[in-house]
Amino acid sequence: MRIYHWPLAAVIACTAVSIPSVQAADAYPTRPVRFIIPFAPGGSNDTIARLFAQHLTEHLGQPVVVDNRSGAGSLVGNEIAAKSQPDGHTIVIISASFAFSSALYKKLPYDPVKSFSHVAKIATGPVVLAVNPSLPAKTVKELIALATAKPGQLNFASSGVGSAQHLGMELLKTLVKIDVTHVPFKGGGPATLSVMTGDSHISIGSVISLIPHIRSGKLRALATGGLKRSSALPDLPTIDEAGVKGYEASNWWGVLAPAKTPQSVITRLDSEIKTIVAKEAVAKRLSNDGAEPDYLSQQTFADFVAKERAKWTQVVRAAGITPQ
């Protein structure tokens, strides 16, 4: 029987090949994790990110620090995330606005596909169609009838051209053929205030953002935009139920990391997020705020975002919005 004697150096070299990646996975994270929010404090992205940052801190054993980097409709924060060191110590929360960007801008400072690694989808929250309480419309059909009778005289407020509020209303306009004037603001807060004071008539924003004002009576909610009723506003019909067949507009939130982040790190983050989404306390908090847990793993989340980009690109083109 022939016995082979391998040089000790060769054995060590072969063994060492697998050690670094294992050690990297075991060691991560080695310092605080920056969680970029590409919007100003106070909005739905901020609310969701802070909730998950708290739980990720407990799960990862390192502080997860939120970093609001607003500007250019989320492009500033997304670019910072895309160009960060791909080691898992910088992640970014994205929402439906991420899917709009390809259609709204001629040139992005990052590639929405190649610049990121998808980690996981974490939640979904439908939009809610609301009006100033003085407006003589208490249902979706009454609002459509009023807008039809007064073409161009009603207006809707949004947080800016190409925002979720803007495109959610453009989808409704396309489906029911009404003429309602768009009034863009620099942020969701001023847009909502405009509707509450009566300077604007209509708002179509995330339940998370509008529900405090609906509960206080400063806004009248007519319907929600998901395919099923919102657990936060269960008595409201969906816009589809109210007669606008095929309408579906929801905000959603997920986590990305810079491209080339080690797969072991992505898998760790994905696993921790899946566990957090399944927590009863998290589901209760999300539901109270007008959102629902909605976990999707890495590739499934990437496929979902691709479908969202295709859908909202069609809405942008139908509305005649010129890319900036």
Side-chain angles (χ1 to χ4, degrees):
M1 181 175 64
R2 184 176 299 175
I3 299 174
Y4 293 92
H5 296 280
W6 287 80
L8 179 60
V11 174
I12 294 173
C14 292
T15 304
V17 170
S18 61
I19 289 177
S21 62
V22 173
Q23 289 179 336
D26 291 343
Y28 173 80
T30 59
R31 60 182 187 275
V33 175
R34 178 171 61 159
F35 197 177
I36 293 177
I37 306 171
F39 291 96
S44 60
N45 292 269
D46 189 68
T47 299
I48 298 290
R50 289 178 185 276
L51 171 63
F52 275 79
Q54 174 188 341
H55 287 273
L56 279 171
T57 293
E58 298 171 3
H59 282 249
L60 295 176
Q62 286 280 0
V64 176
V65 183
V66 298
D67 184 8
N68 293 87
R69 293 298 187 97
S70 61
S74 80
L75 299 191
V76 171
N78 291 339
E79 181 183 10
I80 292 172
K83 296 178 179 179
S84 295
Q85 186 70 22
D87 57 8
H89 290 89
T90 296
I91 56 178
V92 60
I93 188 168
I94 64 166
S95 57
S97 64
F98 185 85
F100 309 157
S101 59
S102 300
L104 292 170
Y105 299 95
K106 294 178 180 178
K107 186 176 181 180
L108 295 173
Y110 53 84
D111 187 303
V113 177
K114 297 179 181 179
S115 297
F116 298 97
S117 296
H118 290 73
V119 178
K121 185 184 180 192
I122 56 180
T124 295
V127 299
V128 57
L129 177 62
V131 298
N132 181 277
S134 66
L135 199 72
K138 297 183 179 180
T139 66
V140 174
K141 287 185 177 180
E142 289 179 358
L143 178 63
I144 293 171
L146 185 63
T148 301
K150 298 182 177 181
Q153 295 182 44
L154 297 185
N155 60 53
F156 71 98
S158 85
S159 59
V161 174
S163 63
Q165 298 97 318
H166 180 196
L167 297 189
M169 192 66 192
E170 291 295 348
L171 177 59
L172 182 63
K173 287 171 60 180
T174 299
L175 291 174
V176 299
K177 310 301 181 186
I178 55 175
D179 179 10
V180 182
T181 303
H182 179 212
V183 182
F185 287 84
K186 293 182 178 180
T192 301
L193 180 62
S194 176
V195 180
M196 289 193 294
T197 59
D199 292 333
S200 299
H201 303 113
I202 306 166
S203 177
I204 189 162
S206 68
V207 172
I208 285 182
S209 297
L210 299 188
I211 198 167
H213 310 301
I214 292 168
R215 288 173 174 166
S216 69
K218 295 178 181 178
L219 292 175
R220 177 192 297 138
L222 306 184
T224 54
L227 293 178
K228 62 180 182 178
R229 294 194 178 196
S230 168
S231 59
L233 298 167
D235 295 332
L236 280 185
T238 66
I239 295 175
D240 180 272
E241 281 182 300
V244 186
K245 296 302 179 183
Y247 186 94
E248 195 277 321
S250 294
N251 202 357
W252 49 263
W253 301 271
V255 177
L256 302 180
K260 298 183 180 180
T261 297
Q263 182 57 43
S264 59
V265 173
I266 297 294
T267 300
R268 170 79 189 281
L269 286 168
D270 181 13
S271 177
E272 300 296 358
I273 287 172
K274 182 179 181 180
T275 301
I276 293 168
V277 171
K279 288 184 176 182
E280 184 177 349
V282 171
K284 185 176 181 180
R285 169 70 183 277
L286 289 171
S287 178
N288 185 64
D289 287 339
E292 305 286 346
D294 190 11
Y295 167 79
L296 291 178
S297 62
Q298 304 163 42
Q299 188 56 53
T300 310
F301 179 39
D303 294 341
F304 168 81
V305 173
K307 290 179 180 178
E308 282 285 281
R309 281 202 307 272
K311 171 184 175 177
W312 292 108
T313 295
Q314 291 181 344
V315 173
V316 167
R317 290 173 180 171
I321 301 172
T322 304
Q324 299 179 31

